[in-house]
């Protein structure tokens, strides 16, 4: 059995989780036919305790030097970031003919096609199972399990931080701000939480899944991405009263000549597994012909789950897994033409705060009707008294299927009325 020499750059949360798997599971590894040896590491701070003995393991201050070292066979990039040392070291590893494993979604989402092309030209493997939903083997399920299938859609919850916040708001009645603070205390949120709550992290993961599922590369800048910053506790409660939960959904759906892509909050029926996925868990559905509908759920972050996925990639390489990085030659990947959401048809949840004046509600319903938006249900939840302020009412409406553009026109027209207080809320209702 060949012993593969592994070089690991980045010894933080994920790297720290990987070291004991690489050094302490030799019995299991030999049983599955993978001889692995931790040969070299790189991080910023050489003196930091990494929890396992690194005696006899070569140290590199510069991950680029590690990536091109003749003493390793597989380079594992766990630094993070789409540029700088992560990108430079992966490029150096490819140039030096090393196989590569990375957990870096930003790097693969932004430079995956070019890196895949270079890796395929150099005949080396480039694996990144941990980059999407960490411990959930969704890339393997789509790339290998559905290798010859036509994918209809991929949809789910791809960001644990947002799901944790929305779950706390729903189950505990926490405000958005308190729930975010709690997510940060528990270490779920990225250093810059805007990356999570603004939807960009989920967009990176959706972009990667889109390339694998549909063979097209989406332009992240043209992908409609909305985060959860504007979700009010009131909307979480009204959605619940209507039999829904609000979730940050990432959806890629085959359209006639293109792919519909979006990351945005949506109402999902409470009985659906997506609505029931709480806390920091992730869930992904995909529908493939002739495979059928597959649902995967589990931990989408954390040292153990992410390191397990990295380890699975290393073992796959040691067992000889190769082939095109995104399941078709990288030179054949095309740019995705993304459908503009305004031409899409969907059901919507709308909430308006109105001054309690005669005719206000009638005016709202008239303006919806004038824009071809028909109402499915309407709630007028009781609102408390606000001493010193004019009386106000909340009006919550769900629509039948309507053109996105028409709903936006109606909402703009309603917002311009003097009896409307603040910004109306518009959230899609996703049916699966
Ligand atoms: N954390 C998760 O749950 C999770 C889940 C899925 C995917 N990922 C991805 O996994 C990757 C790593 O994430 P992480 O959470 O482990 O990050 P992290 O805890 O911040 O660790 C980053 C590591 O990179 C090292 N590093 C930073 N700059 C370096 C440089 N110039 N040269 C050498 N080493 C450098 C750091 O060294 P020091 O320790 O010396 O500072 C640290 O060990 C990211 O791409 C992330 O998106 C993470």
């Amino acid at each position: 059995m060949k012993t593969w020499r592994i070089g690991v750059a980045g010894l933080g949360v994920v790297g720290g989780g990987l070291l004991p798997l690489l050094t302490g599971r030799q019995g299991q590894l030999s049983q599955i036919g993978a001889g692995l040896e931790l040969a070299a590491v790189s991080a910023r701070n050489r003196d930091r305790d990494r929890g396992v003995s690194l005696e006899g393991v070569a140290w590199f201050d510069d991950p680029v030097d590690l990536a091109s070292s003749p003493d390793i066979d597989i380079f594992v990039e766990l630094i993070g970031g789409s540029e700088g040392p992560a990108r430079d070291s992966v490029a150096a590893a490819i140039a030096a003919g090393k196989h590569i494993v990375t957990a870096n979604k930003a790097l693969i989402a932004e430079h995956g096609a070019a890196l895949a092309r270079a890796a395929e030209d150099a005949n080396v493997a480039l694996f990144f199972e941990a980059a999407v939903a960490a411990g959930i083997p969704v890339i393997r399920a789509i790339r290998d399990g559905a290798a010859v299938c036509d994918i209809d859609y991929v949809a789910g919850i791809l960001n644990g931080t947002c799901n944790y916040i929305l779950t706390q708001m729903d189950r505990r009645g926490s405000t958005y701000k308190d729930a975010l603070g709690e997510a940060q205390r528990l270490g779920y949120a990225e250093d810059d939480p805007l990356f999570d709550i603004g939807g960009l992290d989920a967009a990176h993961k959706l972009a990667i899944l889109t390339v694998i599922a549909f063979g097209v590369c989406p332009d992240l800048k043209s992908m409609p991405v909305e985060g959860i910053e504007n979700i009010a506790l009131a909307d979480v409660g009204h959605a619940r009263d209507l039999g829904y939960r609000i979730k940050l959904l990432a959806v890629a759906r085959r359209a006639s000549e293109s792919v519909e892509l979006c990351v945005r909050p949506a109402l999902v029926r409470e009985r659906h597994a997506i609505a029931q996925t709480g806390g920091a868990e992730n869930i992904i559905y995909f529908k493939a012909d002739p495979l059928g509908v597959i649902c995967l759920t589990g931990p989408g972050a954390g040292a153990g789950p992410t390191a397990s996925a990295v380890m699975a990639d290393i073992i796959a390489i040691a067992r000889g897994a190769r082939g095109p990085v995104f399941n078709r030659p990288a030179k054949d990947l095309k740019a995705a033409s993304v459908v503009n959401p305004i031409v899409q048809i969907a059901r919507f949840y709308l909430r308006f705060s109105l001054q309690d004046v005669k005719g206000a509600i009638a005016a709202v319903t008239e303006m919806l009707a004038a824009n071809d938006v028909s109402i499915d249900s309407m709630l007028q939840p009781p609102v408390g008294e606000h001493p010193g302020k004019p009386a106000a009412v909340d009006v919550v409406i769900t629509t039948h299927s309507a053109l996105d553009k028409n709903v936006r026109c109606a909402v703009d027209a309603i917002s311009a009325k003097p009896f409307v207080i603040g910004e109306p809320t518009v959230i899609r209702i996703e049916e699966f």
Side-chain angles (χ1 to χ4, degrees):
M1 185 171 63
K2 170 177 171 159
T3 296
W4 293 77
R5 299 163 304 165
I6 316 296
V8 180
L11 305 175
V13 174
V14 184
L18 181 66
L19 293 183
L21 298 183
L22 271 173
T23 56
R25 307 257 169 152
Q26 291 306 324
Q28 275 160 284
L29 286 168
S30 68
Q31 277 174 351
I32 54 180
L36 305 178
E37 175 202 336
L38 177 64
V41 294
S42 175
R44 275 177 304 209
N45 184 344
R46 189 174 185 162
D47 299 326
R48 189 169 293 162
D49 179 9
R50 306 292 175 174
V52 299
S53 166
L54 292 175
E55 212 182 312
V57 176
W59 175 273
F60 286 80
D61 286 325
D62 186 346
V64 174
D65 292 340
L66 165 61
S68 43
S69 162
D71 296 328
I72 66 161
D73 305 302
I74 301 175
F75 176 66
V76 182
E77 185 279 307
L78 302 173
I79 297 170
S82 59
E83 305 296 335
R87 187 178 180 188
D88 294 346
S89 60
V90 168
I94 294 171
K98 315 292 179 191
H99 300 297
I100 294 133
V101 175
T102 177
N104 191 333
K105 52 224 157 188
L107 179 72
I108 299 300
E110 291 180 25
H111 305 298
L115 291 172
R117 198 160 179 165
E120 286 165 23
D121 287 347
N123 208 17
V124 297
L126 170 60
F127 280 15
F128 41 83
E129 180 64 68
V132 180
I136 306 174
V138 58
I139 291 181
R140 207 153 264 126
I142 298 177
R143 194 191 51 208
D144 301 344
V148 295
C149 295
D150 293 322
I151 308 286
D152 189 18
Y153 68 79
V154 181
I157 296 171
L158 295 177
N159 184 274
T161 307
C162 290
N163 204 43
Y164 177 82
I165 292 170
L166 292 172
T167 306
Q168 290 295 100
M169 291 171 77
D170 177 49
R171 296 187 186 164
R172 299 259 159 96
S174 308
T175 63
Y176 168 79
K177 205 166 153 236
D178 288 349
L180 171 60
E182 188 64 15
Q184 286 176 305
R185 264 192 300 285
L186 290 168
Y188 294 150
E190 296 268 343
D191 290 344
D192 177 359
L194 270 181
F195 199 71
D196 288 311
I197 58 183
L200 192 58
D201 177 74
H204 276 152
K205 295 167 184 169
L206 185 67
I208 296 172
L209 292 180
T210 300
V211 190
I212 294 167
F214 301 103
V216 293
C217 302
D219 172 17
L220 276 164
K221 291 189 198 81
S222 63
M223 192 191 293
V225 178
E226 245 178 78
I228 62 165
E229 313 90 310
N230 297 322
I231 300 295
L233 196 50
D235 295 312
V236 173
H238 298 327
R240 175 177 267 274
D241 293 342
L242 290 161
Y244 293 91
R245 298 287 179 275
I246 298 179
K247 295 291 181 185
L248 184 74
L249 281 191
V251 182
R253 199 178 266 127
R254 184 184 292 280
S256 52
E257 293 291 305
S258 48
V259 186
E260 284 179 19
L261 292 171
C262 68
V263 173
R264 63 181 154 225
L267 270 70
V268 182
R269 281 204 193 278
E270 64 190 352
R271 62 172 181 271
H272 196 280
I274 289 180
Q276 290 168 12
T277 300
E281 297 281 286
N282 284 189
I283 182 167
I284 301 114
Y285 269 80
F286 67 90
K287 186 173 177 208
D289 180 41
L291 177 62
V293 176
I294 300 293
C295 170
L296 298 156
T297 182
T306 314
S308 299
V310 170
M311 199 65 185
D313 279 350
I314 296 172
I315 292 168
I317 292 173
R319 285 166 156 176
R322 302 291 181 270
V325 173
F326 291 104
N327 237 11
R328 64 270 292 158
K331 64 180 173 41
D332 295 342
L333 294 172
K334 307 258 179 314
S337 73
V338 177
V339 177
N340 189 331
I342 66 167
V343 302
Q344 292 170 350
I345 290 175
R347 294 184 58 221
F348 288 84
Y349 161 101
L350 310 172
R351 177 169 61 87
F352 302 96
S353 283
L354 308 177
Q355 284 173 12
D356 196 4
V357 295
K358 201 170 163 199
I361 295 177
V364 168
T365 59
E366 273 162 29
M367 276 181 271
L368 287 169
N371 284 281
D372 268 344
V373 180
S374 88
I375 294 174
D376 178 38
S377 72
M378 184 151 79
L379 291 180
Q380 201 187 320
V383 283
E385 295 286 316
H386 300 290
K389 289 192 179 168
V393 288
D394 258 6
V395 175
V396 175
I397 290 171
T398 61
T399 73
H400 287 295
S401 292
L403 199 56
D404 183 299
K405 190 169 62 174
N406 292 355
V407 173
R408 309 273 157 191
C409 278
V411 169
D412 286 349
I414 295 166
S415 307
K417 294 290 168 194
F419 53 77
V420 177
I421 304 165
E423 280 294 305
T425 305
V426 180
I427 309 175
R428 276 189 186 220
I429 301 173
E430 284 284 351
E431 308 283 356
F432 292 99

